[in-house]
Amino acid sequence: MSGCRGLGHVWGGWRRGPGVRAAREAAGFGTEAGHQLRRRGSRKRSGPLGDQPFPGLLQLENLSREGLVDVLRAAVVDQKGKPGELTLFSVLPELSQSLGLRDRELQVVQASGKETSGLVLLSSCPQTASRLQKFFIHSRRAQRPTATYCAVTDGIPASSEGNIQVALKLEHIDGIDLVIPVKSPSRKDLQEGVKRTLSHFHVVARGSGCALVQLQPLTVFPSQLQVHLVLQLCPVLGDHTYSARVGTVLGQRFLLPAESTKPQRQVLDEALLRHLHLTPAQAAQLPLHLHLHCLHLPGMRPREAPMKLLAPLPPYFSRTLQCLGLHQQ
C-alpha cells in the first residue's frame, strides 16, 4: 500500500473551511518523534485545573503554519512508501515537502468529523487512495466496521451493547446545518437526502453518571455518532450542538423536538462538574469527547494480513476518564 500515511494527531476542528479550531497532542506509533511527544505529554498529571483545564490543547493563536506542519509530521503513526488559511488542507503541500514526497500530492482518504479527535488517513498515491476508498465502500455495503471510536457520554446507555438505527437528514436551520432524525421515511424522503444510518455501540465502563462507550459506525453521515447517542439520552461530553435536545424533569431524561431545539453550550449538573473539577465557564469550553481510535485497513498487498492503525487518547480525554473513574478494560 505504497504512499499511505496515518496521522495519529488528535484533531479538533480540521475542515475545508476557515481555520483549524485546535490541534491536540501528537502521538506517533512507530516514530521516535511521536514517542518523544507522548513522553513529554505524560508528565502532566490530573488534578485541580487552574488556567489550563484541557491539557494537550493547542490554541489556534499559538500555532503557526510551520508549527502545524511540524505537528502533523511528528504525528505520523504509520508510513508506507517513500517518505491561504490555516487548515489541514491548506498545509498539505508543505507537509508533503516535509515528508520528502517532492511533487507527490497528499490527499485525505479517511478522517473523523471536524470536532472529533483521532486518526486522519492521508495518501500520496492516487492508486492507493482509490483502493482504500473502494475498501471502505465495500466494507460499508457488507456492514463490516472499519473504524472504532471512543466516547465519554453524559449519562449511561440503558443497554450495555446494541445497534442504533435511525434515518437522518441534514437541514439548514437559522443559518446552521443540523442533523435531524426522520421517523418512518418514505421513498421520496430517501430520494431527497434522508439516509438510513446504523451504528454499533458497546459500553466499556461506567462511573459518576457517565460512560466510556466504544462505537463502530456502519454508515457514514455527518454527526451520526453524536446524534445516535443523543437518541440514547446520553449525549457525548462536550457536545455543544446536539446535547440540548436532551431535557430533564425530576431526574428523568426525555427528547426535545429536534427541529425546534437550537444548539447551545452543554449544561452539566453540579455533581459532574465537581468530579471533573470544572467551573460552569470551563465546562462551556469542554472539547468534544469523541475520538477516532482505530482504523482497520487491508494489507499492503492482496495476500497480506490486514493492518490496524491506532491513535492513543488525547490528554484531556484521559484526564476525564481518571476524574470519572472510567477505566478501560
Side-chain angles (χ1 to χ4, degrees):
M1 191 181 298
S2 174
C4 181
R5 283 146 182 87
L7 296 182
H9 193 78
V10 186
W11 273 113
W14 79 266
R15 62 190 73 183
R16 286 182 173 86
V20 170
R21 178 179 171 191
R24 297 162 189 164
E25 182 196 38
F29 281 99
T31 64
E32 181 59 28
H35 292 311
Q36 290 173 357
L37 283 167
R38 283 205 303 281
R39 286 197 296 269
R40 196 159 57 231
S42 66
R43 295 172 188 168
K44 296 184 179 180
R45 303 297 182 198
S46 298
L49 293 179
D51 294 332
Q52 288 201 339
F54 313 119
L57 283 174
L58 297 178
Q59 299 302 321
L60 179 59
E61 57 268 21
N62 298 328
L63 194 65
S64 67
R65 191 179 185 89
E66 294 77 13
L68 177 57
V69 172
D70 290 342
V71 168
L72 288 170
R73 185 180 65 241
V76 173
V77 297
D78 192 87
Q79 180 170 333
K80 305 298 181 186
K82 300 178 181 179
E85 287 175 303
L86 189 58
T87 66
L88 173 61
F89 284 86
S90 73
V91 299
L92 286 181
E94 287 98 323
L95 180 60
S96 178
Q97 292 295 318
S98 180
L99 292 172
L101 301 178
R102 299 182 181 179
D103 296 329
R104 298 168 66 187
E105 295 183 359
L106 283 171
Q107 66 181 94
V108 176
V109 178
Q110 182 85 335
S112 54
K114 65 183 182 181
E115 294 182 354
T116 306
S117 62
L119 285 161
V120 176
L121 184 64
L122 307 175
S123 178
S124 59
C125 173
Q127 291 79 11
T128 297
S130 176
R131 182 187 170 206
L132 286 171
Q133 288 163 352
K134 290 177 181 177
F135 167 77
F136 290 130
I137 292 171
H138 292 160
S139 296
R140 286 196 294 273
R141 288 175 178 170
Q143 293 196 346
R144 291 194 304 266
T146 58
T148 300
Y149 290 75
C150 295
V152 177
T153 60
D154 176 17
I156 301 174
S159 302
S160 60
E161 188 170 5
N163 290 327
I164 306 170
Q165 301 183 65
V166 63
L168 299 176
K169 66 178 179 179
L170 197 62
E171 279 198 6
H172 197 69
I173 301 174
D174 294 334
I176 305 173
D177 288 329
L178 295 173
V179 177
I180 306 293
V182 179
K183 292 183 179 180
S184 304
S186 65
R187 180 178 298 180
K188 182 180 179 182
D189 290 332
L190 296 173
Q191 292 173 344
E192 294 179 351
V194 175
K195 182 173 179 179
R196 300 185 192 274
T197 61
L198 172 64
S199 300
H200 179 77
F201 74 92
H202 170 67
V203 178
V204 177
R206 301 171 177 83
S208 305
C210 296
L212 173 61
V213 181
Q214 188 180 79
L215 297 149
Q216 292 181 316
L218 296 169
T219 54
V220 176
F221 199 84
S223 304
Q224 172 177 317
L225 296 178
Q226 290 169 251
V227 175
H228 280 188
L229 286 172
V230 163
L231 294 174
Q232 299 295 301
L233 303 178
C234 299
V236 179
L237 199 63
D239 182 352
H240 305 295
T241 302
Y242 298 103
S243 62
R245 296 179 183 178
V246 178
T248 305
V249 172
L250 299 177
Q252 297 298 312
R253 296 189 173 197
F254 63 94
L255 285 175
L256 294 166
E259 293 85 352
S260 58
T261 305
K262 295 183 178 181
Q264 65 180 38
R265 292 293 180 181
Q266 189 175 38
V267 178
L268 305 178
D269 63 40
E270 293 184 3
L272 182 52
L273 290 175
R274 286 196 300 270
H275 283 296
L276 293 173
H277 304 288
L278 291 176
T279 66
Q282 290 171 334
Q285 302 300 320
L286 196 69
L288 185 70
H289 282 56
L290 182 61
H291 177 78
L292 177 49
H293 174 62
C294 175
L295 278 176
H296 295 270
L297 304 176
M300 291 186 293
R301 295 178 179 83
R303 294 186 179 182
E304 288 191 351
M307 60 187 296
K308 183 165 63 174
L309 298 180
L310 298 172
L313 298 173
Y316 68 84
F317 199 121
S318 297
R319 182 193 174 282
T320 294
L321 296 183
Q322 291 178 359
C323 289
L324 298 176
L326 298 174
H327 303 294
Q328 291 179 278
Q329 300 173 354

